[in-house]
Amino acid sequence: NGDRVVSEEVTLSVSGGPLNITAHPSNATVQPGEMLTTLNIQVSGGVPNYYYYQVEMYVEGTGWKLLGEHESVYTQWKFNGNAPTTPGTYRYRISVTDSSGTKVTSNEAIITVKSDLRITAHPTNATVSPGNYLNTLKITIAGGVAPYFYRVEEYKNDMWSGIHGQQNVTDTTWTTTLHAPMAEGTYRYRLTVTDASGGKVISNEAIITVKGN
């Protein structure tokens, strides 16, 4: 008889299988503030055309803290954030939610922030009287892992030999307590610093000239 009826609308979600992570973020060792390039994730399956990404960092005593979020139609995403400025070990993870509300969370990625040990102020030359305090044998460092081992070396008999040092120092500026030799002459010194991770730096030479009154 030509009568026509229309059903209610039905929404079909097409899934390519369960939402699954195929590439997890990975560990890295970086400098303070450096761009994080390993916090990447890729998924497959799930209900497409909408993916909601969240990256989190674990904060001791607080739990997981949201650092960034992103909506995309793509199945892969990279977090373009920077590492913390304080050396240490940090835990990150990324979660992905598809159009159906299904959520998956990546493995943790461990980001180690390590500032390379470096010298910012070297010991300097000086002319002193016999027995005077050698207060120009001073060094300032930055980075590395405390505590530090400071050592004074003297060039003698065609080789550098340690003559004074101090271990387990947390300060980044250190001055020797050595006194100048009693004999007049020219002496060559340098300072070395070794941090708790085994990193080592060596200062420029300092020429100490000892002259009597």
Side-chain angles (χ1 to χ4, degrees):
N1 59 9
D3 291 342
R4 180 171 177 265
V5 294
V6 178
S7 72
E8 294 181 357
E9 183 178 312
V10 175
T11 300
L12 295 177
S13 295
V14 180
S15 173
L19 183 62
N20 181 55
I21 298 174
T22 57
H24 291 262
S26 56
N27 302 339
T29 298
V30 298
Q31 293 293 308
E34 184 179 336
M35 177 73 74
L36 297 172
T37 60
T38 64
L39 297 185
N40 310 325
I41 193 170
Q42 184 167 349
V43 297
S44 64
V47 180
N49 296 334
Y50 171 78
Y51 295 96
Y52 176 51
Y53 298 90
Q54 292 179 297
V55 61
E56 300 172 300
M57 181 179 76
Y58 188 81
V59 178
E60 204 66 44
T62 303
W64 290 100
K65 176 185 177 182
L66 180 66
L67 294 182
E69 50 193 345
H70 178 68
E71 297 178 7
S72 176
V73 298
Y74 298 106
T75 57
Q76 56 185 346
W77 181 63
K78 173 183 177 182
F79 175 63
N80 292 316
N82 295 87
T85 56
T86 302
T89 301
Y90 299 86
R91 297 161 55 190
Y92 293 84
R93 70 182 184 185
I94 300 175
S95 63
V96 187
T97 306
D98 70 7
S99 295
S100 72
T102 301
K103 181 178 180 179
V104 290
T105 302
S106 74
N107 298 337
E108 290 185 18
I110 305 300
I111 302 298
T112 302
V113 179
K114 181 180 179 182
S115 179
D116 290 339
L117 183 64
R118 61 194 184 279
I119 298 172
T120 58
H122 292 261
T124 56
N125 301 339
T127 299
V128 299
S129 298
N132 274 15
Y133 175 46
L134 296 177
N135 57 9
T136 65
L137 296 187
K138 176 180 180 179
I139 192 169
T140 300
I141 58 169
V145 181
Y148 307 99
F149 171 39
Y150 293 91
R151 188 168 84 153
V152 180
E153 296 181 344
E154 181 183 6
Y155 191 78
K156 193 174 183 180
N157 300 323
D158 297 325
M159 63 183 297
W160 288 101
S161 300
I163 58 173
H164 173 64
Q166 185 178 1
Q167 297 184 353
N168 297 318
V169 181
T170 56
D171 291 339
T172 54
T173 295
W174 183 81
T175 307
T176 183
T177 56
L178 283 176
H179 293 264
M182 297 305 295
E184 293 188 356
T186 300
Y187 300 85
R188 297 166 59 187
Y189 298 96
R190 69 183 187 184
L191 275 66
T192 67
V193 187
T194 305
D195 72 5
S197 71
K200 182 178 180 179
V201 289
I202 301 173
S203 76
N204 299 336
E205 287 186 28
I207 305 301
I208 302 297
T209 303
V210 179
K211 286 186 176 180
N213 295 329

